[in-house]
Amino acid sequence: LEARVFGYDHGRNVLEKNPGTSQLSPHLRFGTVGIRTVLDRLQTARSRATTATSLKSCDTWLSELIWREFYIQILTNHPRVAAGAFRPEYNQIQWQGTDAQFDAWCAGQTGYPIVDAAMRCLNATGWMHNRLRMIVAMFLTKDLMVSWQRGERYFMRTLVDGDLAANNGGWQWASSSGCDAQPYFRIFNPISQSEKFDPQGKFIRRYLPQLAALPNDAIHAPWLAKPLVMEAANVTLGKTYPLPIVDHAKARLKTLMRYSVVKSKND
């Protein structure tokens, strides 16, 4: 525990082969490790922390454990979230994404490497890093305009740590329909998220080997790379790797418009 928790504040966003997260979520989900045991060990670890960084990391992990309890309380006290938005006005959103777009997202065929690598990781292992869960959920709901409930169901079918309360809370956060939701006008840019959290493209290369030969500055958005770079890496968009399924900038504007219409009607 200590080896990971003391570096958690930074490590929780590192998309390396051995991510700096606890990996305890399946055990918490199925009760093979109890939350009180985890908190007891965390308190012990914190008492041994000798730096400001390690103390901060312990407190950051505690806050994440508290979010888990928070979502359990939301589901317990507001069971309607299992069937719809915590903020009822957002049930009025017109989800215009297509089945084909949803299927492409599920299969990791969107043309956005960080999204596709994340989905292929999920399909191959049954697990996904939390940073990636936020990225792919935001992409499905805000870029593709596919209902968060479809993504929620897909995660529950594939995640080894699938938990109704936490999964529902996370998806409603991403779609801006939850009690603690990300404001609807804050929409992740999948390219900048990729550049920030997988700067060298190591995670992308592991799950998208067809892009492995691309240089770091091209792997996050291959369609923007120069033709000679693509040719040297033996990448042909539309053949060896998909073209982007949507234009993020245009999709963002459309999403802002749809959400603002719903919000203005209910203010």
Side-chain angles (χ1 to χ4, degrees):
L1 173 68
E2 290 182 14
R4 292 194 179 185
V5 75
F6 286 163
Y8 180 80
D9 191 59
H10 168 72
R12 64 180 178 147
N13 283 317
V14 176
L15 304 178
E16 297 294 347
K17 188 172 183 178
N18 296 308
T21 57
S22 72
Q23 308 290 286
L24 287 175
S25 55
H27 299 282
L28 289 170
R29 161 66 180 85
F30 288 100
T32 54
V33 173
I35 187 64
R36 290 177 178 80
T37 298
V38 172
L39 289 172
D40 178 70
R41 299 294 173 84
L42 174 58
Q43 289 175 337
T44 300
R46 194 181 190 284
S47 70
R48 297 172 181 166
T50 57
T51 67
T53 298
S54 55
L55 280 170
K56 182 180 179 182
S57 288
C58 289
D59 293 342
T60 299
W61 193 41
L62 175 61
S63 72
E64 293 302 314
L65 294 173
I66 291 171
W67 274 118
R68 176 180 176 273
E69 300 298 306
F70 173 74
Y71 285 137
I72 291 172
Q73 290 300 316
I74 291 298
L75 179 61
T76 300
N77 292 286
H78 305 280
R80 59 186 172 78
V81 299
F86 179 87
R87 300 183 181 185
E89 64 268 24
Y90 286 111
N91 287 323
Q92 301 171 32
I93 291 177
Q94 299 298 308
W95 302 103
Q96 297 181 350
T98 66
D99 288 344
Q101 289 176 318
F102 177 68
D103 291 342
W105 177 84
C106 292
Q109 293 282 350
T110 69
Y112 283 83
I114 194 66
V115 174
D116 294 342
M119 294 305 296
R120 294 186 190 197
C121 173
L122 171 63
N123 293 332
T125 69
W127 188 82
M128 186 189 291
H129 192 286
N130 185 60
R131 169 58 55 175
L132 295 173
R133 297 187 197 203
M134 293 189 286
I135 292 172
V136 302
M138 188 85 65
F139 186 83
L140 183 70
T141 56
K142 303 290 180 64
D143 283 75
L144 301 185
M145 281 304 295
V146 172
S147 169
W148 62 269
Q149 291 169 298
R150 298 190 71 177
E152 177 195 28
R153 287 193 293 269
Y154 188 78
F155 267 28
M156 284 300 292
R157 290 198 299 268
T158 51
L159 285 170
V160 294
D161 61 358
D163 174 89
L164 176 58
N167 189 50
N168 179 275
W171 274 96
Q172 294 223 40
W173 178 89
S175 68
S176 303
S177 63
C179 54
D180 66 307
Q182 177 87 328
Y184 77 88
F185 50 82
R186 291 182 60 189
I187 300 174
F188 283 1
N189 182 319
I191 301 172
S192 59
Q193 289 283 310
S194 182
E195 292 171 340
K196 182 176 181 179
F197 297 111
D198 190 27
Q200 297 179 330
K202 292 182 178 180
F203 177 79
I204 291 173
R205 288 185 175 89
R206 185 156 72 251
Y207 288 99
L208 298 175
Q210 65 269 48
L211 301 182
L214 285 173
N216 294 347
D217 60 358
I219 198 166
H220 305 287
W223 65 93
L224 299 178
K226 295 180 180 179
L228 288 178
V229 172
M230 299 292 282
E231 184 178 350
N234 197 29
V235 176
T236 304
L237 295 180
K239 292 184 179 181
T240 59
Y241 186 69
L243 287 161
I245 194 170
V246 292
D247 181 301
H248 170 71
K250 293 180 180 178
R252 179 180 179 277
L253 292 176
K254 291 180 180 178
T255 294
L256 290 174
M257 180 184 66
R258 292 191 181 101
Y259 272 78
S260 62
V261 168
V262 169
K263 185 170 177 58
S264 63
K265 286 181 178 179
N266 291 275
D267 281 344

